[in-house]
Amino acid sequence: GAVVSQHPSRVICKSGTSVKIECRSLDFQATTMFWYRQFPKQSLMLMATSNEGSKATYEQGVEKDKFLINHASLTLSTLTVTSAHPEDSSFYICSARERTNTGELFFGEGSRLTVL
Amino acid sequence: ELKVEQNPLFLSMQEGKNYTIYCNYSTTSDRLYWYRQDPGKSLESLFVLLSNGAVKQEGRLMASLDTKARLSTLHITAAVHDLSATYFCAVGDNSGGSNYKLTFGKGTLLTVNP
């Protein structure tokens, strides 16, 4: 199956700093990528949908200025957590949908963010 | 707004037993997914169900879809310890136009005991 790579897999940062997480589709072009957040023992919550070359669409309650999403190419989307605080500590997972729109989504390995 | 309900949320079963996880959803959808998640890991795709009456099997797991009832089931046959994980169903939501997205159930934490 197609491969989606996330980096870093784990990151620890100090409160007030910004952290960037990358999501790459390695062997296919992804017109649409999705960013999810998962708290311990909970389900995945969709944060935003990013389309290549356009602004991301954020879900209700997700702060656009805090979670900056850029989808500059068909193989790369980035999520930047700005001015991170301990409550932003979570598991962030991206997924990508093939350009051919087969419907199947491929998930990255996830990035665990810990804000001290 | 699409709602997805999974039950049970917690399932403890003995090796060798059979059980079924249920996934109900509230509005019409054209596809349903089942995923497995191990602790600290991301999601592993198990099944994609695209049509009414679809049935797919892989090893001890079998998934089915009834679009009229808006119900999918994940049946576990003769459970083994390696199946212990959290299982999520997710339903395709095209209400946002071109931004097709998934809505996830809360997950079922399955523990298979020796």
Side-chain angles (χ1 to χ4, degrees), chain A residues 31-83:
Chain A
T31 49
T32 306
M33 288 186 172
F34 303 88
W35 287 95
Y36 294 87
R37 183 176 183 174
Q38 186 180 33
F39 291 109
K41 301 188 186 304
Q42 294 190 21
S43 186
L44 278 73
M45 183 193 79
L46 179 65
M47 298 175 66
T49 303
S50 75
N51 291 302
E52 184 263 339
S54 62
K55 290 183 178 180
T57 302
Y58 290 80
E59 295 299 303
Q60 195 171 6
V62 178
E63 298 177 60
K64 299 180 183 181
D65 295 333
K66 181 163 188 63
F67 299 100
L68 301 179
I69 291 172
N70 184 278
H71 192 160
S73 76
L74 285 171
T75 59
L76 174 65
S77 176
T78 60
L79 167 67
T80 301
V81 182
T82 62
S83 188

Side-chain angles (χ1 to χ4, degrees), chain A residues 13-19 37 39 63 66-67 81-90 92 113-116:
Chain A
C13 70
K14 292 183 179 180
S15 189
T17 61
S18 295
V19 174
R37 183 176 183 174
F39 291 109
E63 298 177 60
K66 181 163 188 63
F67 299 100
V81 182
T82 62
S83 188
H85 290 285
E87 57 265 32
D88 298 325
S89 299
S90 189
Y92 292 88
L113 170 63
T114 302
V115 184
L116 303 177

Side-chain angles (χ1 to χ4, degrees), chain B residues 9 50 58 104 112:
Chain B
L9 299 183
L50 300 177
E58 182 73 32
F104 282 81
V112 181

Side-chain angles (χ1 to χ4, degrees), chain B residues 16-83:
Chain B
K17 299 293 187 182
N18 304 332
Y19 210 84
T20 300
I21 299 171
Y22 297 88
C23 177
N24 289 89
Y25 53 99
S26 61
T27 62
T28 302
S29 174
D30 59 354
R31 57 199 76 182
L32 187 138
Y33 303 78
W34 283 97
Y35 295 96
R36 168 181 173 146
Q37 186 178 37
D38 291 299
K41 303 289 186 182
S42 187
L43 300 183
E44 174 190 348
S45 179
L46 296 175
F47 302 107
V48 181
L49 303 170
L50 300 177
S51 60
N52 187 40
V55 177
K56 291 193 175 180
Q57 183 164 5
E58 182 73 32
R60 301 175 188 274
L61 300 178
M62 183 175 70
S64 66
L65 177 62
D66 180 344
T67 58
K68 293 180 181 178
R70 298 177 188 160
L71 169 68
S72 179
T73 61
L74 180 66
H75 187 72
I76 303 155
T77 302
V80 292
H81 180 69
D82 286 351
L83 288 180

